[in-house]
Amino acid sequence: MENDAVGPRQPRAAAAKTCAWQQADLSLILGGREMRRIALLALVAGLFAPLIATPAHAQATRTWVSGVGDDANPCSRTAPCKTFPGAISKTAAGGEINCLDSAGFGVVTITKAISIYCEGVVGGILAAGSSGVIVNAAATDHIVLRGLDIDGAGTGIKGVNILQAASVVIEHCYIRNFNSAGGVGVFVNPLNFNSMLMIRDSVISHNGTAADGAGISINTNGGSSRGLLNNTAIHKNFVGVTVQGSSNVQINNSTISENLGTGLALSGAAAARIGRSVIVNNLGAATSGNVLSYLDNQINGNAPDTTPATAGGYH
């Protein structure tokens, strides 16, 4: 009777053990799957974490360049970039680039409203075989270049080449040695109407080696140009200033001297007015074309001297 009482328990115990083993195996299987799922999720999260955690840097309204900078930097004052192209890509439209020290910062193409200020230091652009600054912005964009030394090293094409912009202001700049075929210090040939160039307190010298070369050339390419030159020295170029197309230029308090050709040469419907300026010692004529004078200029030592018509305008 005792054996009979014990006997039926053995199958039940074996079944219980089998069930426990099966549950353990199932737990191991499920646990393994869960661990693989967690590992997979961790791997995916690791792959995408840099993209989620590192948003793109917003463009700054003011950036900085330095001769000891690095274009991989954010172009802040404490972590400046090394070149103008590196900084302009991190500068918001309408912002400005400042120079921390004197250095060469590379040729640059400007496609948006921007100001480049290098006051108190020398912002160098060496443009051998190329153009120093190309401006091809929107017809509503305003550009300012201040405190730059733009050097074509004898083979440069154009110091500042303006293709389109609402206005370009060049202040306290030295633009020189653009002597390739057709070399020009400042070349304006805009697509848009009423494009404005202002050059103030600058020196434009030793540019151009043939008749199509000049210190400053202002023309139109389907649009119209206006120019204001004030307190600027334009000397030892092939032609001092050329004005063509429907351009209209005002020259005040400036010197046009020692150029190999004409000092101030106009053609077509272009017009220019000069006041309180000096046109001397050019190897060609002082002026040609529709040049008007406020009768307070010095014109002598040219070959030949000319007598522009009276501009009027005094009230």
Side-chain angles (χ1 to χ4, degrees), residues 7-306:
R9 293 184 185 146
Q10 292 177 346
R12 287 197 297 270
K17 287 181 180 180
T18 300
C19 183
W21 291 339
Q22 288 174 344
Q23 288 177 347
D25 289 343
L26 182 60
S27 297
L28 288 173
I29 292 170
L30 293 177
R33 289 177 180 175
E34 182 65 17
M35 290 299 293
R36 285 195 296 272
R37 188 177 71 84
I38 293 171
L40 180 60
L41 289 174
L43 177 62
V44 172
L47 291 173
F48 285 96
L51 300 178
I52 298 170
T54 310
H57 290 291
Q59 290 184 320
T61 54
R62 184 192 296 268
T63 56
W64 303 83
V65 292
S66 168
V68 294
D70 190 324
D71 284 347
N73 288 339
C75 301
S76 63
R77 187 178 178 87
T78 55
C81 285
K82 188 175 183 63
T83 68
F84 289 142
I88 202 168
S89 65
K90 298 173 185 176
T91 308
E96 66 180 67
I97 300 169
N98 296 101
C99 299
L100 281 171
D101 48 36
S102 297
F105 298 114
V107 301
V108 62
T109 296
I110 297 173
T111 59
K112 58 188 173 184
I114 204 87
S115 298
I116 300 178
Y117 289 168
C118 293
E119 294 281 32
V121 298
V122 178
I125 295 178
L126 182 62
S130 65
S131 293
V133 179
I134 297 174
V135 178
N136 193 11
T140 54
D141 286 340
H142 300 279
I143 317 298
V144 178
L145 306 175
R146 181 181 294 166
L148 302 181
D149 179 6
I150 305 174
D151 188 351
T155 60
I157 301 170
K158 293 175 175 63
V160 179
N161 185 7
I162 302 169
L163 304 176
Q164 181 167 278
S167 69
V168 177
V169 176
I170 299 172
E171 297 180 302
H172 308 158
C173 290
Y174 191 4
I175 302 172
R176 57 200 168 102
N177 299 326
F178 287 86
N179 300 128
S180 69
V184 178
V186 178
F187 184 75
V188 182
N189 195 31
L191 291 166
N192 59 303
F193 287 91
N194 296 319
S195 181
M196 178 68 186
L197 167 71
M198 186 176 82
I199 303 178
R200 185 171 71 90
D201 301 331
S202 296
V203 177
I204 317 293
S205 72
H206 297 88
N207 300 292
T209 56
D212 56 351
I216 301 171
S217 177
I218 301 175
N219 203 343
T220 56
N221 185 20
S224 61
S225 300
R226 296 172 294 144
L228 173 61
L229 314 181
N230 188 58
N231 196 34
T232 293
I234 304 153
H235 66 94
K236 290 188 177 298
N237 304 285
F238 193 88
V239 175
V241 180
T242 66
V243 186
Q244 304 173 60
S246 58
S247 305
N248 193 310
V249 176
Q250 180 86 22
I251 302 174
N252 298 320
N253 305 303
S254 295
T255 300
I256 303 174
S257 65
E258 301 181 64
N259 297 289
L260 297 177
T262 304
L264 174 56
L266 276 64
S267 63
R273 293 172 174 81
I274 56 173
R276 298 179 181 177
S277 294
V278 176
I279 304 178
V280 298
N281 300 330
N282 296 286
L283 298 184
T287 63
S288 66
N290 185 27
V291 177
L292 302 178
S293 169
Y294 292 109
L295 304 181
D296 54 1
N297 303 288
Q298 299 177 41
I299 300 176
N300 51 61
N302 306 285
D305 293 331
T306 55

